[in-house]
Amino acid sequence: MPAETPRPAGGSRAGEGGGGLRRVARVVLLDPANRILLLHGHEPDDPADDWWFTPGGGVEGDETREQAALRELAEETGITEVELGPVLWRRTCSFPFAGRRWDQDEWYYLARTAGTATGATALTELERRSVTGARWWTCPELARARETVYPTRLAELLRTLLDEGPPAGPVTLDTEIV
């Protein structure tokens, strides 16, 4: 159930060598029509085991989560002209992917862009085997989706964001363990 195709920071995955939770920055990217960009991924050896997820990934070295969010967005979508907003949500999750268990502390940043053309520019080998594209979704499309989407309440969260604006501070989402 990856909410992303994980990239271990510093060459080791969370939980190895006492590393704790992997620090992750994710992006809730909205276009001028308030559509959200999601990436389509699957288990590397099983394309039928698929899901949609927000762009983002692990914090590398001494970069901030904001820097990680912008870097990951550029690498995974090619989109660099964005206005990065506040942290909307925080989530802890644990899931199996590519033969490993990933334990993550994810922060979801709001971002807006005028450009909607996408094209990955720097995927890892694992991402090339497991990320199959991107799609802009309207809130009603997301609410009707039969596909798996992470975080699992994304349609409801997006509707609240669009109706009420960003929360005063980050909202802690339920922990998701698969």
Side-chain angles (χ1 to χ4, degrees):
M1 154 233 146
E4 71 174 290
T5 302
R7 250 188 286 206
S12 66
R13 68 185 174 91
E16 288 181 350
L21 292 176
R22 180 170 176 254
R23 296 173 54 222
V24 171
R26 310 204 61 72
V27 180
V28 176
L29 184 64
L30 301 179
D31 74 359
N34 284 328
R35 297 180 304 167
I36 186 171
L37 182 67
L38 297 180
L39 303 179
H40 188 231
H42 61 81
E43 187 65 36
D45 297 323
D46 184 5
D49 183 4
D50 68 332
W51 54 86
W52 292 89
F53 61 99
T54 59
V59 175
E60 295 181 355
D62 60 357
E63 73 182 348
T64 65
R65 285 202 202 231
E66 293 87 353
Q67 291 166 331
L70 293 172
R71 176 186 47 76
E72 288 285 341
L73 184 64
E75 290 174 357
E76 295 174 348
T77 71
I79 296 174
T80 57
E81 297 297 319
V82 298
E83 178 185 327
L84 192 64
V87 177
L88 300 170
W89 316 308
R90 290 186 61 181
R91 175 179 85 137
T92 301
C93 59
S94 179
F95 52 88
F97 177 72
R100 299 177 182 170
R101 174 141 302 265
W102 300 87
D103 300 312
Q104 301 190 153
D105 173 28
E106 299 181 337
W107 292 17
Y108 290 77
Y109 287 87
L110 175 62
R112 293 206 171 260
T113 186
T116 57
T118 62
T121 62
L123 297 181
T124 66
E125 184 273 332
L126 181 57
E127 288 171 326
R128 286 190 296 276
R129 292 190 301 127
S130 60
V131 178
T132 58
R135 175 182 166 195
W136 291 96
W137 296 72
T138 66
C139 195
E141 288 170 337
L142 197 54
R144 291 190 306 267
R146 297 206 185 279
E147 296 95 340
T148 301
V149 176
Y150 293 108
T152 55
R153 294 179 38 227
L154 186 57
E156 172 191 338
L157 293 164
L158 180 60
R159 177 79 274 145
T160 300
L161 174 64
L162 295 177
D163 289 347
E164 301 174 12
V171 173
T172 301
L173 305 181
D174 292 339
T175 298
E176 291 190 48
I177 300 174
V178 174

